[in-house]
Amino acid sequence: MVDEKHEKLLLIDGFNLLSRCYFATAYGKELHQLQRNSKGLFINGLRAKIQKLLQLVRIHTPTHLAIAWDVKRNETLRKQKYQDYKGTRNELPEPLIQQYETAVSLFNSLGIPQFTVPKYEADDIIGTFVQKWRDEREGECIIYSNDRDLLQLLCGKTSQLIAAKKGETKYTLTHFQSDYGIEPSQWVDVKALLGDKSDNIPGVAGVGEKAALPLIQQYGNVEGIYHKVDELDEKYKRYFKKLQLGREMAFLSKDLCKIYTDVPDILELDFDQIQIKVDKSKLLDELTELEINVRVG
């Protein structure tokens, strides 16, 4: 049995990884050029995703693993709060949707822990796992995702693996504090002012990167800014009217940006249920069936 101090939880943002793998392998190609198996199933993104998952397990040797998936965009709590949430996103390509369905089926067959919770997004599932691990376990927690919204979850034992052209960066609490001069919990306040074009979160119109971070560094959070809005430091006077007009959007945006850490289905889970117990021969059989050739072990 592994000593709790040496336990390690790896959390995968399932669709973030699959979509990056899909678009990387589909770039510049027509539909008919995408890799399929003899049954006609698309496997270009799935093959790359499985390859990456196996590599992550080899390199980071986690004892526990969970893959988090999103629900449909129009079924989330955030969409209920703000109808325009993620309203500017395009429809997903059919081959990507098909490979998501194949991935879910494959992981079910292999007993790889994966989670979809009605009304919650993958970020919320990850956030709840992080909080639960923080409260109950002593070991390290690693998040694998390029979604920088997740930086709000960093702590002394939780880091985020972020992919870049030069390779992956294991982004820690120390990195975050050095880069931004605030605590991870304040990241949601920066995002509340900036908004998020990708998620169509409004933020405060006219308050950009030059002002958002310094405002939070000085006033602590959105609430602190509006408590002092009539006596802001002289250097922020040009933002006074913008902040006044954007008050409602600032608080709405903060609510939308904040990751839930209390998803009931995840809180009730026993960590023993997500220990890594993959049968290598079964994995090989399943991959052979799908005609996916990757290094296993």
Side-chain angles (χ1 to χ4, degrees), residues 215-246:
L215 277 163
I216 299 304
Q217 287 171 336
Q218 187 160 345
Y219 295 101
N221 51 32
V222 168
E223 291 80 4
I225 291 169
Y226 282 101
H227 181 66
K228 298 271 192 177
V229 74
D230 292 325
E231 48 192 85
L232 283 180
D233 191 304
E234 193 65 35
K235 61 188 174 186
Y236 302 119
K237 283 298 180 183
R238 59 179 289 203
Y239 298 104
F240 174 74
K241 282 189 178 178
K242 292 167 183 174
L243 287 166
Q244 288 280 44
L245 291 170

Side-chain angles (χ1 to χ4, degrees), residues 148-170:
R148 289 183 176 264
D149 291 347
L150 293 161
L151 293 177
Q152 64 188 271
L153 301 174
L154 298 180
C155 67
K157 59 185 178 186
T158 300
S159 56
Q160 183 173 344
L161 280 175
I162 300 173
K165 287 182 180 178
K166 294 182 180 179
E168 288 170 358
T169 299
K170 191 175 184 181

